[in-house]
Amino acid sequence: MSTDEPARARGRRTRARILDQAAELFAGQDYAAVSVAEIARSAGAHPHQVTYYFGSKDALFVQAAFLLLLREARDLEPIGLRQRTPAAFREAVARTTLTLPALPVVVRAMSISRLRPELQKLAQHRLAILFRQAEHYLAGVLERHDWTLDRPIEVEVRTFWSAVLGARLISESGYGGHPSDIDVAGVLTVHSKAAA
C-alpha cells in the first residue's frame, strides 16, 4: 500500500501554500512589484500552478487581499471585547480597524475587481465572508455586554465596513488628510439597552 499523499490533498496544500505566500508578498510590496514567478518560487510551486489554481495574478491578488483582511479583522476582535462601554467599543474598533495594514491592499483588490467583470463575484463572495465574520463577532459582543443596536446587525456591519473602506479609498486617492479624519465610530449605533 502506497503512503503517497493523494493528488487532491496535495493540490489543496499547494493551492493553500500559494495563497499564503501571495498574501505575505502582497502585504509587503506593491501589487505591480510582485510577479507570478516570485509567488510560485516563494510557495515552492511552478508559475503555471498559480494560473492553474487561481486563473490569473489578479484573481490571486483579490483572494490574498481578503485573506489578509479577514486575518487582521479576527486579530482585532479582542480589542473590542475588552471595552467596558459602548462608546469605548465604538472608538476602539473604529480606530484600530482604520490602521489595519490590509486595508490599502483590499481597496486595490476591489478596484481591480471593479474593472474585471470575471472577478466581481469573487470580490462579492469575499466581502460576504467578511460581513458574516463581523456579524458573528458583533452578535457575541452585544450578548456579552447586554448591548443593542439601532438597526439590524447586517446593516450595522455593512455600514461600518463601507465607511472604513470608503475612508481608506478617499485617503488613497490623494485627498488631503487621513482615514481617521472620517468619523467611522459615528456610524456605529452600539449602545446599552438601558439607554434605548
Side-chain angles (χ1 to χ4, degrees), residues 138-188:
L138 184 54
V141 168
L142 296 174
E143 184 177 334
R144 177 179 180 168
H145 293 291
D146 201 29
W147 295 341
T148 191
L149 303 170
D150 288 342
R151 56 187 166 212
I153 197 166
E154 318 76 62
V155 176
E156 185 84 0
V157 162
R158 287 174 188 233
T159 301
F160 174 74
W161 278 107
S162 295
V164 167
L165 292 165
R168 193 60 201 213
L169 178 62
I170 289 169
S171 175
E172 297 278 317
S173 68
Y175 182 78
H178 190 268
S180 63
D181 293 341
I182 296 173
D183 182 14
V184 173
V187 304
L188 291 170

Side-chain angles (χ1 to χ4, degrees), residues 21-22 24-39 57 60-61:
Q21 290 303 306
E24 276 189 41
L25 291 167
F26 289 130
Q29 300 176 54
D30 185 62
Y31 169 80
V34 179
S35 69
V36 169
E38 182 182 7
I39 294 166
K57 177 184 169 186
L60 175 56
F61 178 65

Side-chain angles (χ1 to χ4, degrees), residues 105-118:
V105 181
V106 168
V107 166
R108 175 76 189 258
M110 290 175 69
S111 296
I112 289 171
S113 68
R114 188 181 69 78
L115 300 172
R116 302 271 310 271
E118 72 276 12

Side-chain angles (χ1 to χ4, degrees), residues 2-18 49 52-53:
S2 173
T3 60
D4 289 345
E5 183 178 24
R8 268 195 190 167
R10 199 169 50 249
R12 280 193 298 271
R13 262 189 336 101
T14 300
R15 186 184 189 288
R17 203 170 54 246
I18 291 169
Q49 289 176 299
Y52 175 78
Y53 288 114

Side-chain angles (χ1 to χ4, degrees), residues 21-77:
Q21 290 303 306
E24 276 189 41
L25 291 167
F26 289 130
Q29 300 176 54
D30 185 62
Y31 169 80
V34 179
S35 69
V36 169
E38 182 182 7
I39 294 166
R41 188 171 44 257
S42 179
H46 299 286
H48 75 275
Q49 289 176 299
V50 173
T51 52
Y52 175 78
Y53 288 114
F54 296 95
S56 67
K57 177 184 169 186
D58 288 347
L60 175 56
F61 178 65
V62 170
Q63 291 191 46
F66 278 99
L67 176 65
L68 287 168
L69 184 57
L70 288 166
R71 286 177 178 169
E72 290 176 7
R74 214 173 344 218
D75 290 344
L76 73 80
E77 290 177 0

Side-chain angles (χ1 to χ4, degrees), residues 74-118:
R74 214 173 344 218
D75 290 344
L76 73 80
E77 290 177 0
I79 293 163
L81 287 172
R82 286 195 297 265
Q83 306 312 309
R84 299 287 177 232
T85 67
F89 172 82
R90 292 189 304 265
E91 285 298 322
V93 168
R95 184 180 58 251
T96 308
T97 303
L98 284 169
T99 64
L100 293 176
L103 278 180
V105 181
V106 168
V107 166
R108 175 76 189 258
M110 290 175 69
S111 296
I112 289 171
S113 68
R114 188 181 69 78
L115 300 172
R116 302 271 310 271
E118 72 276 12

